[in-house]
Amino acid sequence: MAEILFYHLTESVLDEALPGLVDRSLERGWRVVIQMTSEERREELDRLLWTWNNTSFLAHGTDVQPNAEHQPALLTTTTDTLNNATVRFVVEGADIVGAENYDRLVVMFDGHDAAQLTKAREQWKSLKAAGHQLTYWQQNADRRWEKKA
């Protein structure tokens, strides 16, 4: 079973929180896939990951570029895992398929978006009913993650 973490964004937006979490995953030697809901958002995150830090970038590619299977981090709009990632980030209400195929599944959702909140609640119930172990993390006022459940 995958370790499943729900990250509830309350003090920052995805573009501020996601790169650091992906960076830490890559530092641990994990291969990562990041799934979002639209091609436009995939392109925005593609640009962001190249420029998110003044001193470094996150090596990555997209599922529509050549050699997707070689990317340490891969951006996708599908449920496929072309780069054999062991960690999957599901953002902005993207569908979850095959949670058991990962060591870690991270669900990130915006607490100010009613549709994302509803989707996250549905995903939590479904994954819990399937027997997965879930943890829930929420940002505090300092934008640090606190485990709530």
Side-chain angles (χ1 to χ4, degrees):
M1 288 285 167
E3 176 185 14
I4 301 177
L5 303 95
F6 278 73
Y7 280 83
H8 186 171
L9 296 159
T10 58
E11 303 300 321
S12 64
V13 296
L14 181 72
D15 290 4
E16 296 166 338
L18 178 65
L21 293 172
V22 172
D23 189 40
R24 283 192 286 285
S25 295
L26 294 175
E27 286 175 354
R28 293 176 175 163
W30 298 339
R31 295 179 72 75
V32 173
V33 64
I34 306 163
Q35 179 188 344
M36 66 276 323
T37 58
S38 72
E39 293 174 6
E40 295 79 19
R41 191 64 173 124
R42 180 187 59 212
E43 301 310 314
E44 290 170 4
L45 286 174
D46 182 29
R47 286 189 296 276
L48 172 70
L49 295 182
W50 287 118
T51 61
W52 79 282
N53 187 320
N54 291 334
T55 60
S56 68
F57 61 89
L58 288 173
H60 71 281
T62 72
D63 58 351
V64 295
Q65 296 170 332
N67 302 312
E69 67 276 9
H70 298 296
Q71 297 299 332
L74 186 70
L75 304 173
T76 186
T77 58
T78 73
T79 57
D80 296 334
T81 308
L82 300 175
N83 67 339
N84 295 312
T86 57
V87 177
R88 185 173 203 94
F89 285 84
V90 177
V91 301
E92 302 176 331
D95 291 330
I96 298 171
V97 175
E100 66 280 355
N101 297 325
Y102 301 94
D103 293 339
R104 179 176 281 197
L105 177 70
V106 180
V107 180
M108 297 185 76
F109 59 98
D110 184 341
H112 303 289
D113 183 309
Q116 286 186 37
L117 278 171
T118 298
K119 181 75 173 208
R121 287 181 183 122
E122 292 168 0
Q123 290 169 325
W124 177 278
K125 288 177 186 174
S126 174
L127 291 165
K128 189 76 165 171
H132 293 283
Q133 291 186 343
L134 312 176
T135 57
Y136 170 74
W137 300 80
Q138 186 177 47
Q139 287 182 312
N140 64 22
D142 295 327
R143 297 184 178 197
R144 296 192 181 273
W145 296 107
E146 291 182 355
K147 187 176 180 180
K148 299 288 187 170

